[in-house]
Amino acid sequence: PGSPDASTTVDTTPPDAPTLTAEPTYTAGTSNTVAWSDESGTGAAEYYAELATDTGFTLDVATSGWVAGLSYEFTSLTDGQIYYYRVKARDAALNESGWSGTESSTQDDTAPATSAGDPGSTQTTLTFDVPFSASDATSGVQYVELWYQVDGGGYSQYGATFTTSPISFIAGADGVYDFYTIGTDNVDNVEAAPGSPDASTTVDTGAPDVPTLTAEPTYTAGTSNTVAWSDVNASGADEYYAELATDTGFTLDVATSGWIAGLSYEFTSLTDGQIYYYRVKARDAALNESGWSGTESSTQDDTAPATSAGDPGSTQTTLTFDVTFSASDATSGVQYVELWYQVDGGGYSQYGATFTTSPISF
């Protein structure tokens, strides 16, 4: 014949195996688009991608089917599950390449769980630490953001992002501060803001006014002394601290009241003839302390005077005569003396009232 009766093409050569694009360790969400190299130059016409939850590709297998494109999106994947991928090619004659190498990635569809920790109920400085906890079961926590509000106002972000706890926080002014954190994981899943703050603290850096000690007498009777001071509760004072010493520098024989709520304190077991110095300060509920008050002093006097009536002479020839006396006191001094007498062995009676100078005209 002038032409062939029939023809056929013999093609037994498969295309090259495609190469999967490298997969990240973690993939966000519940879908994953895998991609591969273009092997059309070696005859590839279609590609077949495969997914499984085991390296043998026998468990939970899903496929793209034969597709002409260079990528395929697998959907409805499970959060926290590691998936393995491979791909092959075939040409128009349906010659199939071998499988590509395997790539794997773990799906991460869950945001981190973070929480601002308790910085303490009160702060007496504007700079303090806010701790936080953060965890993520899959890709891990990338960073946290710290959000705060003052006295119930709107929330603002503090600084930028933080990776270590605690966060050094600088308050702008006194007030009640509320905190929460928002975490972002390593595939950019972002935690939702909570409905209420994780932690709160009160910043109080203002000290109460300095109390004023009640003036002390020069001498105080006995071996105890109750000191008193002004009420500065209106300026925030919650407690007071009184101090005693035997020197003006308050370094010797110091005794204290400790922190007390009252406006006076009794110091006991004091030494007769000793001068004592006193001062007091206040603090508020946040433990901010005022300065010390001015100093007051008093000398303890627990010893009575020594007095004696002098000899007026063995006999008197008039009904009026002088009775001398001597008197001394080592501490506060003699205020007055009383003269007592008896007649012919009878009972004693006080003569007159009190006397400050000798002799007494009797």
Side-chain angles (χ1 to χ4, degrees):
S3 60
D5 295 330
S7 296
T8 187
T9 300
V10 178
D11 182 357
T12 62
T13 303
D16 290 345
T19 301
L20 272 175
T21 302
E23 283 290 300
T25 304
Y26 300 97
T27 297
T30 57
S31 65
N32 188 13
T33 298
V34 292
W36 47 84
S37 61
D38 180 356
E39 301 302 328
S40 60
T42 65
E46 293 179 306
Y47 301 89
Y48 187 94
E50 194 170 63
L51 161 158
T53 56
D54 68 318
T55 57
F57 287 86
T58 62
L59 301 176
D60 305 307
V61 176
T63 75
S64 64
W66 287 104
V67 296
L70 297 175
S71 65
Y72 181 78
E73 182 182 19
F74 290 97
T75 60
S76 301
L77 305 184
T78 300
D79 180 37
Q81 176 66 54
I82 184 171
Y83 289 95
Y84 299 90
Y85 303 92
R86 63 184 180 178
V87 66
K88 61 183 177 180
R90 73 178 180 184
D91 60 18
L94 305 186
N95 293 299
E96 295 184 11
S97 73
W99 288 106
S100 69
T102 300
E103 291 286 335
S104 65
S105 184
T106 300
Q107 295 299 132
D108 185 354
D109 192 41
T110 304
T114 71
S115 179
D118 182 12
S121 60
T122 56
Q123 309 295 331
T124 58
T125 62
L126 292 178
T127 300
F128 54 93
D129 285 343
V130 179
F132 68 85
S133 60
S135 63
D136 185 81
T138 311
S139 62
V141 179
Q142 183 178 175
Y143 57 78
V144 300
E145 301 168 2
L146 179 64
W147 291 76
Y148 72 98
Q149 67 174 1
V150 185
D151 295 333
Y155 277 93
S156 301
Q157 185 178 353
Y158 180 73
T161 59
F162 301 93
T163 58
T164 57
S165 175
I167 298 167
S168 180
F169 184 84
I170 302 175
D174 286 2
V176 177
Y177 284 74
D178 299 317
F179 301 95
Y180 67 78
T181 52
I182 293 177
T184 299
D185 69 14
N186 283 297
V187 292
D188 295 328
N189 290 311
V190 180
E191 181 183 19
S196 58
D198 297 329
S200 298
T201 191
T202 298
V203 178
D204 181 0
T205 60
D209 291 342
V210 177
T212 301
L213 271 177
T214 302
E216 283 290 300
T218 305
Y219 299 96
T220 296
T223 57
S224 65
N225 187 14
T226 298
V227 292
W229 49 83
S230 63
D231 181 349
V232 292
N233 291 355
S235 67
D238 188 61
E239 294 178 305
Y240 299 87
Y241 187 95
E243 194 170 63
L244 160 159
T246 55
D247 68 318
T248 56
F250 289 84
T251 61
L252 301 176
D253 305 308
V254 176
T256 76
S257 64
W259 287 106
I260 58 173
L263 297 175
S264 64
Y265 182 77
E266 182 182 18
F267 289 98
T268 59
S269 301
L270 305 184
T271 301
D272 179 37
Q274 176 66 56
I275 183 170
Y276 290 96
Y277 300 89
Y278 304 92
R279 63 183 181 179
V280 66
K281 60 183 176 180
R283 73 178 180 185
D284 61 18
L287 307 185
N288 294 300
E289 296 184 12
S290 74
W292 288 105
S293 69
T295 301
E296 292 287 334
S297 64
S298 185
T299 300
Q300 295 299 133
D301 186 353
D302 193 41
T303 303
T307 67
S308 178
D311 182 7
S314 59
T315 58
Q316 305 295 329
T317 58
T318 63
L319 292 178
T320 299
F321 55 92
D322 286 341
V323 178
T324 62
F325 67 86
S326 61
S328 64
D329 185 82
T331 311
S332 60
V334 179
Q335 182 179 180
Y336 57 80
V337 299
E338 300 169 2
L339 179 64
W340 291 74
Y341 70 96
Q342 66 174 5
V343 181
D344 294 333
Y348 275 93
S349 301
Q350 183 177 355
Y351 179 73
T354 59
F355 303 93
T356 58
T357 56
S358 176
I360 300 168
S361 179
F362 181 84

